[in-house]
């Protein structure tokens, strides 16, 4: 699925079922969800031989606030989110090898280093601090942290 424009979608623009059992490439698409969902691609299959890259997300509302069982829930695509919650976490959802992610914090929260988050120690964030990670498909590795 390449070179398409999805405008004003109110649900997932592309939804890959967990049982789809096919390889796929989703690239060079534009998603504008000014009145829609903040997660235009739902990748339930999580096929490691498939690629989702070089898509442009506009007006997606990059704010995230949900932590479930100590896992920060993020959209399947995108490299920047603003975390508005106050619950600490020790893992991040939607792991994909090579994915980079920067988290900007709006409030005080503790991010705990461990098996899923390989960090230079725990991080107690305050407003406007950032953490940047890269994923190997299994764990997120800290690239940098910025304390404002």
């Amino acid at each position: 699925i390449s070179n398409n424009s999805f405008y004003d979608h109110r649900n997932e623009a592309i939804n890959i079922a967990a049982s789809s059992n096919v390889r796929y490439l989703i690239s060079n698409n534009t998603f504008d969800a000014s009145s829609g969902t903040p997660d235009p691609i739902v990748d339930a299959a999580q096929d490691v031989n498939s690629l989702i890259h070089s898509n442009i997300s506009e007006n997606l509302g990059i704010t995230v606030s949900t932590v479930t069982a100590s896992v920060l829930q993020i959209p399947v695509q995108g490299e920047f989110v603003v975390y508005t919650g106050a619950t600490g976490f020790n893992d991040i959802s939607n792991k994909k090898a090579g994915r980079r992610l920067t988290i900007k914090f709006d409030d005080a929260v503790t991010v705990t280093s461990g098996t899923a988050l390989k960090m230079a120690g725990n991080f107690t964030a305050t407003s406007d601090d950032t953490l940047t990670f890269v994923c190997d498909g299994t764990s997120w590795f800290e690239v940098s942290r910025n304390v404002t």
Side-chain angles (χ1 to χ4, degrees):
I1 301 172
S2 297
N3 303 311
N4 297 290
S5 296
F6 298 87
Y7 292 101
D8 203 27
H9 56 91
R10 286 174 172 60
N11 294 303
E12 298 87 8
I14 300 172
N15 189 326
I16 302 159
S19 61
S20 62
N21 203 23
V22 296
R23 292 185 181 166
Y24 48 89
L25 168 65
I26 301 171
S27 66
N28 302 315
N29 296 292
T30 299
F31 299 94
D32 183 330
S34 54
S35 64
T37 177
D39 198 357
I41 302 173
V42 174
D43 180 12
Q46 295 283 314
D47 184 333
V48 296
N49 296 310
S50 300
L51 296 172
I52 298 175
H53 70 87
S54 301
N55 295 291
I56 299 169
S57 300
E58 299 173 349
N59 302 315
L60 287 183
I62 56 173
T63 301
V64 295
S65 61
T66 305
V67 172
T68 305
S70 299
V71 179
L72 177 63
Q73 303 298 314
I74 63 168
V76 73
Q77 71 169 17
E79 294 184 4
F80 182 84
V81 297
V82 177
Y83 180 51
T84 59
T87 302
F89 56 91
N90 61 17
D91 197 358
I92 302 170
S93 68
N94 288 317
K95 296 175 177 77
K96 193 79 166 179
R99 182 176 184 182
R100 291 182 62 91
L101 176 69
T102 297
I103 305 167
K104 177 184 167 282
F105 296 90
D106 263 6
D107 208 342
V109 64
T110 299
V111 181
T112 306
S113 180
T115 304
L117 297 181
K118 309 290 187 177
M119 302 167 54
N122 296 345
F123 181 68
T124 302
T126 58
S127 183
D128 293 331
D129 290 351
T130 62
L131 267 176
T132 300
F133 294 95
V134 67
C135 186
D136 70 354
T138 303
S139 299
W140 292 92
F141 294 82
E142 180 181 353
V143 174
S144 66
R145 57 177 71 189
N146 181 41
V147 178
T148 57

